[in-house]
Amino acid sequence: MSNKPRIAVLGTGIMGQPMACNLAAAGFDTAAWNRSETRYQALTKAGVQVMSSPADAVRDRDAVVVMLSSGPVCEEILFGDSHQPAQGCQGAVHAMKPGALLIVMSSIGRNEAIDLAARSQVRGLQWLDAPVSGGEKGAIEGSLSIMAGGTEDAFERATPILAAMGRPVHIGPAGTGALAKLVNQLTVATTIAAVSEAMTLAEVGGADPARVREAMLGGFAASCILEQHGQRMLERNFTPGGPSKHQLKDTRSACDAANELGLDLPLLKLTDQLFSDLVDHDGGDLDHSALLLEIRRRNGLDDY
């Protein structure tokens, strides 16, 4: 019998499904739950046990990985009472065994992470806020950048689990993983905005955007955003790896954190407004590289 911890994954969407599959592939006994059943076939094929409720998924598990869409959804599933009324369960944490490890890998706010950590510890659970960067590609390849906030003991215990999904780095105490992700998302969002403007300026100025991108990739402007999302912009391929509505959630959380800390971050504010406008113009379900469309809309380039 394997001495590896038994894992549950709550949330198997674009990111959570390949993460759960990678855990199973690494030899972890893995169960999963998701609100939608559309991805269950791939999970079952990978050896993941599909459960009918969050409580059933986490029961008797040594560690629970959470990959839900937002802080409020995490709070609802972990601490709410709407999913197991017949059994009187007040959220998934109430079905977790004492001492289990709760790893919230969703992108949530700094204060949300600190609050959920405290509530989890009252329940006798170990906590990590461990959000990720790398998108769907990183989730599939098991190469995610993982930013973990929590105690040293919790991080050491979680490291073999996290290593099956990517490269974990311990940032500091609870809440710092969530903060690191907001820092990451600020950088991603503003870079997407810059690349969107660059591609637009190149095209309208008479240069071939594809050749401009090729030249830029050889210099200081090179980045994963220019390489991957720049290509998406050229192809007009906005099938979501990271939906714009989720990017907006993260820029809003980053703005909240900046305000709490008394910081004026003008690039963040402007980029948050750009994503808000994109979402308001029906771009919320498009990939965040679709910010190009908002830049073009503002400039009267009506070709969509």
Side-chain angles (χ1 to χ4, degrees), residues 56-79:
D56 287 341
V58 306
R59 190 170 287 113
D60 297 323
R61 296 282 157 170
D62 302 299
V64 175
V65 170
V66 179
M67 199 59 185
L68 298 166
S69 60
S70 68
V73 173
C74 290
E75 183 175 15
E76 176 192 354
I77 299 301
L78 293 173
F79 293 95

Side-chain angles (χ1 to χ4, degrees), residues 120-145:
S120 300
Q121 288 159 6
V122 168
R123 299 293 307 174
L125 306 173
Q126 282 193 296
W127 165 275
L128 278 182
D129 43 280
V132 304
S133 180
E136 183 181 13
K137 182 175 184 288
I140 292 170
E141 295 175 351
S143 60
L144 293 167
S145 172

Side-chain angles (χ1 to χ4, degrees), residues 4-141:
K4 288 188 174 184
R6 303 176 71 229
I7 313 297
V9 178
L10 302 181
T12 55
I14 291 173
M15 300 288 288
Q17 177 190 313
M19 291 163 71
C21 292
N22 284 336
L23 286 168
F28 292 100
D29 180 341
T30 306
W33 170 85
N34 193 59
R35 276 177 163 166
S36 168
E37 299 182 1
T38 56
R39 296 174 178 267
Y40 280 176
Q41 185 176 358
L43 292 168
T44 301
K45 185 177 180 180
V48 177
Q49 304 166 53
V50 174
M51 310 303 283
S52 61
S53 72
D56 287 341
V58 306
R59 190 170 287 113
D60 297 323
R61 296 282 157 170
D62 302 299
V64 175
V65 170
V66 179
M67 199 59 185
L68 298 166
S69 60
S70 68
V73 173
C74 290
E75 183 175 15
E76 176 192 354
I77 299 301
L78 293 173
F79 293 95
D81 61 1
S82 62
H83 290 272
Q84 289 292 325
Q87 300 179 30
C89 180
Q90 295 179 312
V93 297
H94 296 266
M96 292 175 64
K97 65 182 184 181
L101 180 60
L102 179 58
I103 309 172
V104 174
M105 304 186 77
S106 308
S107 294
I108 64 177
R110 170 176 168 265
N111 285 344
E112 288 174 321
I114 292 170
D115 175 63
L116 293 178
R119 294 168 67 181
S120 300
Q121 288 159 6
V122 168
R123 299 293 307 174
L125 306 173
Q126 282 193 296
W127 165 275
L128 278 182
D129 43 280
V132 304
S133 180
E136 183 181 13
K137 182 175 184 288
I140 292 170
E141 295 175 351

